């Protein structure tokens, strides 16, 4: 069966059919006449049928040869189209890009980059999954995952795009009711808003110069999505910890107040994560490059796009 899929032999046969000559076919293909004759002989042997009648003056197809030619032309055309699509996709973005990102980062950072991406590559389409739950890229056939925080899955390939600072914030009304000079040592006694999708953060390490405080928080509300937790903090329910990209604008506008401002939390990363593969499609490379550029602008306080 594998021999029946030899596309070279199909190409030799169809070229002879179209030129009516082994010599002319060999010239067109850039090979010796003996090679064409040998390959077509092997093809007839594999099929168990005579495809061409040869005389000293001409080559004519048998009935089986005409039927096989009709099918062979279609096979070669489809193979050429498939090769062209895949090889073109390695050069410039074409087709559908499936990506996933955390909900807050997706809405604030990925969506504007998607707009720029589709403008630059109008032949592209994007399917975006914005969810705080971490998707399995292979099982869900996702081309690109954006991870914010800390990577835990070593089976995927990754590229670091930027860095996030974690910031403690509260509404102005809630902040006004906090003790004066409140610090992380008092954190357990305060009301917090938690996010159940964020794993491995039961304890937080605050640092200031050479001083550190390791503390557990006391959530009075736990939400299952980052925007929901953010809304609860804005409503004055309690303190929350969010990445800088999520709170910078609201802090500047006075809608949120930074708490423990002279303390820092561990920084995290923003990574593009890819399923294991030897080659990365152009559609993925182009999107990641745009997002990396947007992250660089954000780190400098410049508009994302």
């Amino acid at each position: 069966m594998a021999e029946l899929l030899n596309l070279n032999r199909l190409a030799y046969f169809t070229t002879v059919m179209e030129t009516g000559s082994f010599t002319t076919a060999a010239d067109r293909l850039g090979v010796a006449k003996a090679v064409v004759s040998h390959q077509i002989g092997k093809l007839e042997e594999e099929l168990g049928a005579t495809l061409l009648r040869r005389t000293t003056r001409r080559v004519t197809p048998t009935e089986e040869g005409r039927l096989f030619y009709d099918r062979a032309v279609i096979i070669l055309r489809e193979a050429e189209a498939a090769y062209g699509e895949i090889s073109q996709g390695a050069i410039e973005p074409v087709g559908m890009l499936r990506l996933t990102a955390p909900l807050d980062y997706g809405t604030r950072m990925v969506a504007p980059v998607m707009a720029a991406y589709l403008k630059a590559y109008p032949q592209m389409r994007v399917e975006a999954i914005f969810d705080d739950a971490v998707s399995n890229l292979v099982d869900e056939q996702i081309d690109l995952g954006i991870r914010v925080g800390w990577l835990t899955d070593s089976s995927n390939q990754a590229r670091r795009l930027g860095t996030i600072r974690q910031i403690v914030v509260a509404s102005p009304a809630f902040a006004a009711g906090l003790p004066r000079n409140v610090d992380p040592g008092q954190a357990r006694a305060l009301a917090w808003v938690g996010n159940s999708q964020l794993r491995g953060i039961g304890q937080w390490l605050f640092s200031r110069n050479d001083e550190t405080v390791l503390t557990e928080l006391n959530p009075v509300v736990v939400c299952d999505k980052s925007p929901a937790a953010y809304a609860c903090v804005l409503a004055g329910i309690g303190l929350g910890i969010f990445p800088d990209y999520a709170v910078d604008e609201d802090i500047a506008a006075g809608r949120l107040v930074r708490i423990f401002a002279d303390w820092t939390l561990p920084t995290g990363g923003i990574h593009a994560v890819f399923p294991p593969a030897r080659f990365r499609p152009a559609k993925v490379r182009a999107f990641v490059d745009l997002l990396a550029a947007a992250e660089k602008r954000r780190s400098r306080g410049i508009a994302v796009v």
Side-chain angles (χ1 to χ4, degrees):
M1 181 62 69
E3 291 292 341
L4 294 177
L5 301 178
N6 189 315
L7 296 182
N8 280 336
R9 288 176 186 163
L10 295 189
Y12 292 145
F13 168 69
T14 57
T15 304
V16 172
M17 284 286 292
E18 291 162 2
T19 62
S21 165
F22 279 83
T23 301
T24 306
D27 290 342
R28 178 182 294 184
L29 294 167
V31 298
K33 176 183 176 182
V35 172
V36 177
S37 179
H38 175 74
Q39 291 299 321
I40 290 180
K42 292 290 292 183
L43 181 60
E44 291 177 323
E45 181 181 326
E46 290 158 1
L47 293 173
T50 300
L51 301 176
L52 299 170
R53 293 191 182 94
R54 306 159 178 82
T55 68
T56 56
R57 301 182 61 181
R58 59 186 300 186
V59 177
T60 57
T62 63
E63 180 64 23
E64 291 83 357
R66 284 191 291 270
L67 291 173
F68 189 72
Y69 171 79
D70 292 339
R71 296 294 183 89
V73 168
I74 295 173
I75 292 170
L76 289 173
R77 186 184 303 125
E78 289 297 318
E80 182 179 358
Y83 182 87
E85 288 176 5
I86 298 301
S87 60
Q88 183 73 7
I91 299 171
E92 66 179 60
V94 292
M96 172 70 74
L97 175 67
R98 298 193 75 231
L99 65 84
T100 180
L103 187 51
D104 59 351
Y105 188 80
T107 54
R108 292 174 183 264
M109 291 293 297
V110 177
V113 172
M114 283 170 50
Y117 179 75
L118 292 172
K119 183 177 181 180
Y121 307 106
Q123 299 302 314
M124 281 300 306
R125 296 293 180 268
V126 179
E127 181 179 343
I129 304 165
F130 292 166
D131 198 327
D132 290 335
V134 177
S135 301
N136 185 302
L137 304 186
V138 175
D139 291 349
E140 299 180 40
Q141 299 182 356
I142 295 173
D143 301 304
L144 170 64
I146 306 301
R147 303 280 192 260
V148 176
W150 296 266
L151 294 179
T152 57
D153 185 355
S154 60
S155 65
N156 293 313
Q157 301 168 339
R159 172 183 168 186
R160 190 180 182 95
L161 305 179
T163 301
I164 60 165
R165 294 177 296 111
Q166 299 182 102
I167 298 176
V168 180
V169 294
S171 69
F174 187 90
L178 293 174
R180 189 174 182 180
N181 298 322
V182 66
D183 63 48
Q186 301 166 275
R188 291 195 61 168
L190 304 176
W192 291 82
V193 176
N195 183 347
S196 63
Q197 290 290 347
L198 302 181
R199 298 173 294 175
I201 56 168
Q203 294 182 323
W204 292 87
L205 181 65
F206 290 86
S207 301
R208 182 177 63 179
N209 300 323
D210 295 331
E211 185 179 2
T212 60
V213 174
L214 181 64
T215 184
E216 294 184 0
L217 307 185
N218 178 31
V220 295
V221 171
V222 177
C223 301
D224 66 343
K225 295 287 188 295
S226 295
Y230 199 70
C232 289
V233 172
L234 283 171
I237 292 176
L239 300 167
I241 299 176
F242 298 96
D244 50 4
Y245 63 79
V247 297
D248 281 346
E249 290 184 6
D250 283 324
I251 292 174
R255 291 185 292 269
L256 288 175
V257 176
R258 185 171 180 180
I259 310 299
F260 310 150
D262 52 349
W263 294 79
T264 60
L265 286 164
T267 58
I270 298 169
H271 291 86
V273 180
F274 321 94
R278 184 179 178 188
F279 299 105
R280 197 164 297 152
K283 63 183 180 181
V284 174
R285 297 196 308 268
F287 190 90
V288 171
D289 287 345
L290 285 175
L291 185 55
E295 269 299 321
K296 185 175 291 187
R297 289 192 293 273
R298 183 182 72 83
S299 70
R300 297 173 178 173
I302 304 172
V304 174
V305 292

